[in-house]
Amino acid sequence: MPVPLVNHSEVDVLIIGAGPAGLMAANALANAGVNVRIVDKRSAMVTAGQADGISPRTIEVFQSYGIGERLLREGCQVHMAAFYNPSSTGGIERTGRAPDVTAPTARYPFELALHQGGIEAIILDSMTALGVNVERSTMPTSIELSKDEGELADPNAHPVRVTLERLDEEDGQPHPEVVHAKFVLGADGAHSWVRKMFDISMDGEQSDFIWGVVDMVPDTDFPDIRNKSLIHSNNGSCLLVPREADRIRIYMQLADKDVLNPTTGRVDKEKMGPTQLLDVAQKSIHPYKLIPTNGINWWTLYIIGQRVASNFSVKNRVFIAGDACHTHSPKAGQGMNASMNDAHNLAWKLALVIRGWADMSLLSTYESERRKYARDLIAFDKEFSTLFSGKPQTEENKDGVSHEVFLKAFQTFGGFSSGIGVHYSPSVAVADAHQSYASNLIIGERVPPHKFVRAADAWPYELQDLLPSDFRFKLLTFVGDITDASQRSKVESMVKELERPTGFLTRYSTPNTTSKTTRFDIITVGLGRKEEVDFLQYPELLRPHWSKVLIDDTDVTGSLGGQGYSYYGVGPAGAVVVVRPDGYVGAITPLERVGELDGYFDSFMKAPV
Amino acid sequence: MPVPLVNHSEVDVLIIGAGPAGLMAANALANAGVNVRIVDKRSAMVTAGQADGISPRTIEVFQSYGIGERLLREGCQVHMAAFYNPSSTGGIERTGRAPDVTAPTARYPFELALHQGGIEAIILDSMTALGVNVERSTMPTSIELSKDEGELADPNAHPVRVTLERLDEEDGQPHPEVVHAKFVLGADGAHSWVRKMFDISMDGEQSDFIWGVVDMVPDTDFPDIRNKSLIHSNNGSCLLVPREADRIRIYMQLADKDVLNPTTGRVDKEKMGPTQLLDVAQKSIHPYKLIPTNGINWWTLYIIGQRVASNFSVKNRVFIAGDACHTHSPKAGQGMNASMNDAHNLAWKLALVIRGWADMSLLSTYESERRKYARDLIAFDKEFSTLFSGKPQTEENKDGVSHEVFLKAFQTFGGFSSGIGVHYSPSVAVADAHQSYASNLIIGERVPPHKFVRAADAWPYELQDLLPSDFRFKLLTFVGDITDASQRSKVESMVKELERPTGFLTRYSTPNTTSKTTRFDIITVGLGRKEEVDFLQYPELLRPHWSKVLIDDTDVTGSLGGQGYSYYGVGPAGAVVVVRPDGYVGAITPLERVGELDGYFDSFMKAPV
């Protein structure tokens, strides 16, 4: 028998698992020009079912990677939520409707429904165009992290060794490959192998919930069949979500006794299959009819607990993301969104460290930011689930959950479930100071959308579109009205301060070039009227290109933009706002104290060598 | 010597010339499933320069074929116009700025600049996806129209014989092909061979104007370099247009003496080339500097007269479109727009006749609608050109053109130059009656954009996007508030009237099916609130699919839509509006007189046999 040949290779980042979290990370890293590989043990991508709800913030994130338009074109928008409760005549009746999204600053005030395969295809096509493909039928068999502290501290070292085996070798023999990686990301799902290999525990309640899901194209007289319907019936609660191509999905929480085999304690598919699930759905929606027109397109049962991993990283060399580090109920449609946003949070930090722009310590903010979020998510999920699964208030059950209480909770949690309200606490990447200079650009939160017009051509632009996830920090300089002599003099002083040889802008610029825009993109927002403004009057540092100067005015029709300073809470004296590569506000200073940004960047950035 | 083998073939439509008009026609016909071929004697498409301004209406038309998004992504938007006049200190100074587009109902309130090759590529890619390619290096050598009246009257006959020869045969021998076509479209430019073969005269003034054009990426201190600038200088008038990739284009009208050889009367390239053109531009823009950063990217001189063909068709079998039937100055940027809209106007009529849905007489409306437009365009061009080329008003020349007079003309003509105000006169396809029932849906004009929300899911939709150029007539049924008993009864009567066996909807439906949506797409717009509306309450005829019922309300954020009845001038009693396949209003009736639409459709439509 021949001795198997072992190949060795090196890579900057190895991603294990090509679900939403892994793909999002691979695409983001490919976008940043990082040497990345992604493997998955499955031989093909999912084609139907599975997670499918995209929150408003996730749409913004897709847009920041240039893949938002396709997502919007292919997805089904959910604008309205309908609430149903038991009627006095039996069955259910509508208690009211309300916007599905309660987040006043959402750029996309709706959720998007698209099957997981459709979402993954969008990311895959983007990755492929960047030269990265998923290596399928490939699974890791061992993972080892160096114990050498010197190696662990050296960003150029490859301290993680992962053995990979292909499951479809033509000769049937294993041909293991040992990959030496700088960093490994375990995005390998709720039963994460990476997590288990490093003995990371999942903390949380041990009780699990059982969910049933069916997809169908219905024949129905239910008037909210194209709205998200949250149904409290005396037969149990269920959640109906409209989807693309006339399909709908119904989620039902099931009782243990209806699903589990009492002897084995495991799911008994004899007790609960598509026929029984349809029966549950039909009883819950009575008196309305619900008849699948071409059968049940997809169905599943799943058991899930509400848990968070005790750690999201091992020595900032191995990370876990997505279901690998947090599991929760599908009710708020957060699982896939949380997963993709984990990846979005981690990717730019890895890219900056690998490029030698940032210190390894920046990576610690991944766990501090995303683990806190995951814990908040579970707290939200528990509270919301309790209300949703609770018995409805009826004549007989006056202690039940009333529509008013449920609606209030639904709307209160809107900022959270939309992803818009995610807030990162102070850290090396979030400097908590001078908030009052831009009171609605909340430090630690994403920049809300607003339209401004370009000074040079009055073309209205969404500011978010000028903050792409391109791994640069954006310096939003709100300079006020530079035709005012005293303001102009303040702006000129700020420019001098920014141009100091010892200032961050000079020290962290690419050596041997005059370019200040490799790591920093300067976007200037002035006060002025489009009929009068002259973009050439702005100091040259503030207009590296003519397109970089905006003014706070409406477009020529008067219908887009305007009042942006006021919307962002910036006064006429202006402010400088640092936006992180992921679109979150990192720091704010008044013009006079722009020198304080040296401290912000010095805390994690490394000068070119 | 071998006898050349002559191949014979048949085709429904043969298009000669693959410029904007020809491509637009080919794509539209391919979209309609028509058997179409398009040939061009050039071996490759244009890659730079040439026409490049797309008007607001043309963007809407692209959108109606599903190719608007790419156009918007690739083009450079021009929102603002700047006006320059001689300053008292020499050179020019800005007199003012104004919106580039003056057309309050424009969906896209800007012009788009994109080089002709970029525009053509968008149409070509769409055609290719539909299976139609341009046959290049192919020129017609003869064309003959049958004189047999019976053949000419038979829509299934192929009375046009065109001989085609390929210019790049490998054996160097001619291999002529005789194409027998039902219809031929000559879209072969200002020197149209098709036009000449049928002795169609060009009417208009014999005087020609000489234009010079240069493209460059400038180094400049001209503050309106990214706006459209209309410059009256004592050195002559010029027009500066911003373009994609930091480029600009400058159009200059030249004096005969500077360009023509006095002996031959022809353009003398020794007298006027890129160096001289740049010199003219630099003098006209003084005191601002204008230095090409990487040379002149493209330049041209052209001589053009303002003329219209005496006929746009020969017996409704051979048509001409675009520059083949009208030529005018580039000042208003109308040439390419007029050409593409000729094609848009003709394509659906040809498609309906070829499908056997419409009588040949419908084709006569192509000439009546587009020739009138071309004549109006030239009248506009003359008036505007005179003002633009006229000497500016100065201290020395008080009779010159003042800024106020010029700006007023610029804005007065805005409806025309935007393409929005195009108005087709009454004909078999435009029934002039009952205008008051939808006073702002002007009969003979395109449907202005407005957003409505879908009753079933509160998803805000742009009505124009529900009127695609898919060769069906759209029946917009504004039914009012159907929860009002008396209105509901009127709506039910209207439905009964529409469902009569002798009514147009039944008579012109596809035989042996119950489908009423092959030729007609029914879109219902009700009055109601999104929180309360039940789409299932609309009569079934008015909701062939759940997505076809809209209500006149805002979206969940309150920022999109609403007040649509009032915007369109429709009262609570409602109206039925027939929209032609090209997006123009064809007929209006009150609900009670919907039977009158039988007369409209009977005038050109043919029942299935």
Side-chain angles (χ1 to χ4, degrees):
Chain A
M1 195 177 149
V3 179
L5 190 67
V6 176
N7 290 313
H8 287 260
S9 63
E10 287 192 345
V11 73
D12 286 353
V13 182
L14 175 67
I15 299 171
I16 296 169
L23 291 174
M24 196 76 180
N27 181 58
L29 290 168
N31 224 19
V34 168
N35 171 14
V36 59
R37 285 175 66 184
I38 176 168
V39 300
D40 197 291
K41 64 184 176 191
R42 292 167 299 178
S43 61
M45 60 184 280
V46 297
T47 53
Q50 309 237 18
D52 66 354
I54 305 196
S55 72
R57 173 58 189 156
T58 306
I59 307 172
E60 293 179 358
V61 170
F62 268 64
Q63 184 70 12
S64 79
Y65 287 102
I67 52 178
E69 276 184 26
R70 179 167 160 200
L71 185 71
L72 289 166
R73 202 160 50 235
E74 298 184 4
C76 168
Q77 298 179 14
V78 183
H79 291 263
M80 188 70 94
F83 301 86
Y84 280 78
N85 281 286
S87 79
S88 53
T89 57
I92 55 168
E93 66 183 3
R94 186 170 66 227
T95 329
R97 286 177 182 158
D100 182 45
V101 168
T102 312
T105 72
R107 177 171 179 187
Y108 307 100
F110 48 81
E111 285 183 273
L112 264 190
L114 183 61
H115 68 96
Q116 189 171 327
I119 297 162
E120 292 183 2
I122 293 170
I123 311 176
L124 280 165
D125 288 349
S126 169
M127 276 168 56
T128 304
L130 295 163
V132 177
N133 289 290
V134 178
E135 302 169 43
R136 298 197 184 274
S137 302
T138 301
M139 71 183 282
T141 56
S142 76
I143 184 166
E144 210 180 312
L145 181 60
S146 168
K147 297 202 168 18
D148 180 330
E149 289 298 332
E151 199 179 356
L152 288 172
D154 174 7
N156 295 315
H158 293 76
V160 204
R161 289 168 56 122
V162 179
T163 307
L164 295 178
E165 283 188 17
R166 285 188 57 90
L167 304 175
D168 59 354
E169 293 291 356
E170 285 190 4
D171 60 3
Q173 299 289 324
H175 295 277
E177 175 190 2
V178 177
V179 179
H180 301 253
K182 288 181 181 166
F183 301 97
V184 166
L185 175 61
D188 47 351
H191 303 288
S192 172
W193 173 86
V194 174
R195 187 184 71 219
K196 284 175 193 151
M197 294 304 284
F198 286 96
D199 280 330
I200 299 172
S201 62
M202 290 295 274
D203 303 339
E205 295 190 14
Q206 285 312 304
S207 69
D208 290 324
F209 297 98
I210 305 171
W211 286 84
V213 187
V214 289
D215 281 7
M216 71 178 87
V217 176
D219 172 19
T220 183
D221 56 359
F222 181 62
D224 284 283
I225 197 69
R226 298 308 302 172
N227 292 323
K228 183 200 267 189
S229 297
L230 298 100
I231 300 168
H232 279 107
S233 85
N234 286 324
N235 186 57
S237 298
C238 64
L239 175 67
L240 186 154
V241 186
R243 302 187 41 201
E244 71 278 13
D246 289 357
R247 287 200 197 97
I248 61 157
R249 166 167 295 179
I250 302 175
Y251 293 92
M252 294 156 272
Q253 192 172 334
L254 304 170
D256 288 7
K257 69 175 171 53
D258 294 333
V259 186
L260 301 185
N261 178 312
T263 319
T264 64
R266 297 172 153 244
V267 168
D268 183 345
K269 294 217 172 177
E270 297 290 309
K271 297 182 79 164
M272 188 58 73
T275 314
Q276 292 91 335
L277 284 171
L278 179 61
D279 187 55
V280 171
Q282 284 172 332
K283 281 193 177 128
S284 300
I285 206 174
H286 178 78
Y288 299 105
K289 72 173 175 181
L290 183 75
I291 302 162
T293 56
N294 59 351
I296 299 293
N297 304 133
W298 183 78
W299 68 280
T300 195
L301 290 174
Y302 58 98
I303 302 188
I304 205 153
Q306 294 163 328
R307 301 190 190 100
V308 182
S310 54
N311 296 96
F312 279 25
S313 125
V314 184
K315 295 187 182 293
N316 282 335
R317 287 295 189 167
V318 176
F319 300 87
I320 50 177
D323 291 351
C325 45
H326 41 77
T327 61
H328 22 80
S329 84
K331 239 162 263 161
Q334 291 305 304
M336 185 171 57
N337 290 289
S339 298
M340 295 195 290
N341 282 291
D342 286 346
H344 177 58
N345 183 285
L346 178 60
W348 68 272
K349 298 170 185 174
L350 281 175
L352 261 58
V353 169
I354 289 168
R355 287 184 176 191
W357 294 3
D359 191 81
M360 294 267 289
S361 62
L362 177 64
L363 298 172
S364 298
T365 61
Y366 170 63
E367 181 173 299
S368 63
E369 293 182 340
R370 296 306 295 175
R371 187 160 184 272
K372 174 176 178 297
Y373 168 73
R375 290 163 60 95
D376 292 349
L377 174 57
I378 282 168
F380 153 72
D381 185 20
K382 278 187 190 160
E383 199 168 335
F384 190 67
S385 291
T386 304
L387 286 172
F388 189 63
S389 306
K391 283 275 174 200
Q393 190 179 54
T394 57
E395 279 298 309
E396 295 75 39
N397 177 21
K398 296 205 192 279
D399 295 335
V401 180
S402 74
H403 172 62
E404 290 67 31
V405 166
F406 186 66
L407 178 62
K408 188 154 186 295
F410 181 80
Q411 295 184 326
T412 304
F413 292 134
F416 195 83
S417 60
S418 65
I420 300 297
V422 171
H423 183 103
Y424 296 141
S425 301
S427 69
V428 292
V430 176
D432 191 16
H434 305 306
Q435 178 69 72
S436 64
Y437 287 86
S439 54
N440 297 328
L441 289 168
I442 310 291
I443 296 165
E445 298 191 7
R446 72 88 167 87
V447 174
H450 194 75
K451 287 198 174 68
F452 294 87
V453 299
R454 290 202 302 212
D457 63 1
W459 184 335
Y461 258 83
E462 170 49 57
L463 184 61
Q464 282 196 342
D465 287 337
L466 300 177
L467 307 172
S469 293
D470 63 0
F471 303 89
R472 291 188 296 174
F473 283 82
K474 315 301 185 299
L475 301 180
L476 292 180
T477 61
F478 292 89
V479 294
D481 177 5
I482 61 158
T483 65
D484 173 277
S486 86
Q487 181 68 15
R488 181 164 190 102
S489 126
K490 283 202 281 177
V491 170
E492 281 167 357
S493 300
M494 178 196 74
V495 166
K496 274 207 193 95
E497 184 76 6
L498 281 171
E499 285 178 333
R500 270 177 308 125
T502 55
F504 73 92
L505 203 53
T506 310
R507 289 182 47 230
Y508 299 123
S509 285
T510 311
N512 309 321
T513 76
T514 54
S515 170
K516 305 244 186 287
T517 60
T518 314
R519 297 188 188 184
F520 305 100
D521 188 19
I522 296 175
I523 298 163
T524 300
V525 187
L527 286 170
R529 291 183 63 237
K530 60 189 168 295
E531 291 84 0
E532 289 153 10
V533 64
D534 178 357
F535 74 99
L536 293 161
Q537 297 307 310
Y538 287 80
E540 281 195 38
L541 180 76
L542 303 182
R543 52 175 173 96
H545 186 258
W546 60 261
S547 63
K548 295 295 184 181
V549 183
L550 308 173
I551 53 166
D552 184 14
D553 196 1
T554 58
D555 77 327
V556 294
T557 69
S559 58
L560 299 174
Q563 303 293 327
Y565 270 55
S566 146
Y567 184 71
Y568 283 158
V570 177
V576 178
V577 177
V578 175
V579 183
R580 311 193 322 185
D582 57 357
Y584 288 75
V585 177
I588 295 176
T589 73
L591 302 194
E592 296 84 349
R593 297 175 72 171
V594 74
E596 290 183 20
L597 293 180
D598 290 350
Y600 173 76
F601 288 108
D602 288 348
S603 73
F604 63 85
M605 209 169 250
K606 285 162 70 173
V609 282
Chain B
M1 194 176 148
V3 179
L5 189 68
V6 176
N7 290 312
H8 286 261
S9 63
E10 286 192 345
V11 72
D12 286 354
V13 182
L14 175 67
I15 299 171
I16 296 168
L23 291 174
M24 196 76 180
N27 181 58
L29 290 167
N31 223 20
V34 167
N35 172 16
V36 59
R37 285 174 66 183
I38 175 168
V39 302
D40 196 290
K41 65 183 176 191
R42 292 167 299 177
S43 60
M45 61 186 279
V46 296
T47 54
Q50 310 237 15
D52 66 354
I54 306 198
S55 73
R57 173 57 189 157
T58 306
I59 307 174
E60 293 178 358
V61 170
F62 268 65
Q63 183 71 10
S64 79
Y65 287 102
I67 52 178
E69 277 183 25
R70 179 167 161 200
L71 184 71
L72 289 166
R73 204 162 46 236
E74 297 183 5
C76 169
Q77 298 179 14
V78 183
H79 291 263
M80 189 70 93
F83 302 86
Y84 280 78
N85 281 287
S87 79
S88 54
T89 57
I92 56 169
E93 65 183 2
R94 186 170 66 226
T95 329
R97 287 178 181 157
D100 181 46
V101 168
T102 311
T105 73
R107 177 173 179 185
Y108 307 99
F110 48 82
E111 284 183 273
L112 265 190
L114 183 62
H115 67 96
Q116 189 171 329
I119 297 162
E120 292 184 1
I122 294 171
I123 311 175
L124 279 166
D125 288 349
S126 169
M127 277 168 56
T128 302
L130 295 163
V132 177
N133 289 289
V134 178
E135 301 169 42
R136 299 197 183 275
S137 301
T138 301
M139 71 183 282
T141 56
S142 76
I143 185 166
E144 209 180 311
L145 181 60
S146 169
K147 298 202 166 23
D148 180 330
E149 288 298 330
E151 198 179 356
L152 288 172
D154 174 8
N156 295 315
H158 293 77
V160 204
R161 288 168 58 124
V162 180
T163 306
L164 295 179
E165 281 187 18
R166 284 189 57 89
L167 305 174
D168 58 355
E169 293 292 356
E170 285 189 5
D171 60 4
Q173 299 289 322
H175 296 277
E177 175 191 1
V178 177
V179 179
H180 301 253
K182 288 181 181 166
F183 301 97
V184 167
L185 174 62
D188 48 350
H191 303 289
S192 172
W193 174 86
V194 174
R195 186 184 71 218
K196 285 175 192 151
M197 294 304 286
F198 287 97
D199 281 331
I200 299 171
S201 63
M202 289 296 273
D203 303 339
E205 295 189 13
Q206 285 313 303
S207 69
D208 290 324
F209 296 99
I210 306 171
W211 286 83
V213 188
V214 289
D215 281 8
M216 70 179 87
V217 176
D219 172 20
T220 182
D221 56 1
F222 181 62
D224 284 283
I225 197 70
R226 299 307 304 173
N227 292 323
K228 183 200 266 189
S229 297
L230 299 99
I231 300 168
H232 278 106
S233 85
N234 287 324
N235 186 57
S237 298
C238 63
L239 175 68
L240 186 154
V241 185
R243 302 186 42 199
E244 71 279 11
D246 290 357
R247 287 199 197 96
I248 60 158
R249 167 167 294 180
I250 302 175
Y251 292 92
M252 294 155 273
Q253 192 172 335
L254 304 171
D256 288 7
K257 68 175 171 51
D258 294 333
V259 187
L260 300 185
N261 179 311
T263 318
T264 65
R266 295 170 155 245
V267 167
D268 183 346
K269 293 218 172 177
E270 297 289 309
K271 296 182 79 162
M272 188 59 72
T275 313
Q276 293 90 336
L277 284 170
L278 179 61
D279 187 57
V280 172
Q282 284 172 331
K283 282 193 179 131
S284 299
I285 206 174
H286 178 78
Y288 300 104
K289 70 174 176 180
L290 183 76
I291 302 163
T293 56
N294 60 352
I296 298 293
N297 304 132
W298 183 78
W299 69 278
T300 195
L301 291 174
Y302 57 100
I303 301 188
I304 204 153
Q306 294 164 327
R307 301 188 190 101
V308 181
S310 55
N311 296 95
F312 280 24
S313 127
V314 184
K315 295 188 183 294
N316 282 336
R317 287 296 191 168
V318 175
F319 300 86
I320 51 177
D323 290 351
C325 46
H326 41 77
T327 60
H328 22 80
S329 84
K331 239 162 266 162
Q334 290 305 304
M336 185 173 56
N337 291 289
S339 298
M340 296 195 289
N341 282 292
D342 285 346
H344 177 59
N345 183 285
L346 177 61
W348 68 273
K349 297 170 184 174
L350 281 175
L352 262 56
V353 168
I354 289 167
R355 286 185 177 191
W357 293 3
D359 192 80
M360 296 266 290
S361 62
L362 177 64
L363 297 172
S364 298
T365 62
Y366 169 65
E367 180 173 299
S368 64
E369 292 182 340
R370 296 306 295 176
R371 186 160 185 273
K372 173 175 179 299
Y373 168 74
R375 289 164 61 95
D376 290 349
L377 174 57
I378 281 166
F380 153 72
D381 185 22
K382 278 188 190 160
E383 198 167 335
F384 189 67
S385 291
T386 304
L387 285 172
F388 190 64
S389 308
K391 283 275 173 200
Q393 189 179 55
T394 57
E395 280 298 310
E396 295 75 41
N397 178 20
K398 294 203 192 281
D399 295 335
V401 181
S402 74
H403 172 62
E404 291 67 32
V405 166
F406 186 65
L407 179 62
K408 188 153 186 295
F410 180 79
Q411 296 184 326
T412 304
F413 292 134
F416 195 84
S417 60
S418 65
I420 300 297
V422 170
H423 184 105
Y424 297 140
S425 301
S427 70
V428 291
V430 176
D432 191 16
H434 305 306
Q435 178 69 71
S436 65
Y437 287 87
S439 55
N440 298 328
L441 288 169
I442 310 291
I443 295 165
E445 298 191 7
R446 73 88 166 88
V447 174
H450 194 75
K451 288 197 173 68
F452 294 87
V453 299
R454 290 202 303 212
D457 62 1
W459 183 334
Y461 258 83
E462 169 50 58
L463 184 62
Q464 280 196 343
D465 287 337
L466 301 176
L467 308 173
S469 293
D470 63 359
F471 302 90
R472 292 187 294 175
F473 283 82
K474 315 300 183 301
L475 302 179
L476 292 180
T477 60
F478 292 89
V479 295
D481 177 5
I482 61 158
T483 66
D484 174 277
S486 86
Q487 181 69 15
R488 180 162 192 103
S489 125
K490 282 202 282 176
V491 171
E492 282 166 357
S493 301
M494 177 195 75
V495 166
K496 273 207 194 98
E497 183 77 7
L498 281 171
E499 286 177 334
R500 271 178 307 124
T502 55
F504 73 93
L505 203 51
T506 310
R507 288 181 48 230
Y508 298 122
S509 286
T510 311
N512 309 322
T513 76
T514 54
S515 169
K516 305 241 188 292
T517 60
T518 314
R519 298 189 188 183
F520 305 100
D521 187 19
I522 297 175
I523 298 163
T524 300
V525 187
L527 285 170
R529 291 183 62 236
K530 59 188 169 296
E531 291 83 2
E532 290 153 10
V533 64
D534 179 356
F535 74 99
L536 293 160
Q537 297 307 310
Y538 286 79
E540 281 194 38
L541 179 76
L542 303 183
R543 53 176 171 94
H545 185 259
W546 60 263
S547 62
K548 295 295 184 181
V549 183
L550 308 173
I551 52 167
D552 183 14
D553 196 1
T554 58
D555 78 327
V556 294
T557 69
S559 58
L560 300 174
Q563 304 293 327
Y565 269 56
S566 145
Y567 184 71
Y568 284 158
V570 176
V576 177
V577 177
V578 175
V579 183
R580 311 193 321 186
D582 57 357
Y584 288 75
V585 177
I588 295 175
T589 73
L591 302 195
E592 296 83 350
R593 298 174 72 171
V594 73
E596 290 183 21
L597 293 181
D598 290 350
Y600 173 74
F601 288 109
D602 288 348
S603 73
F604 62 85
M605 209 169 251
K606 286 162 70 173
V609 282

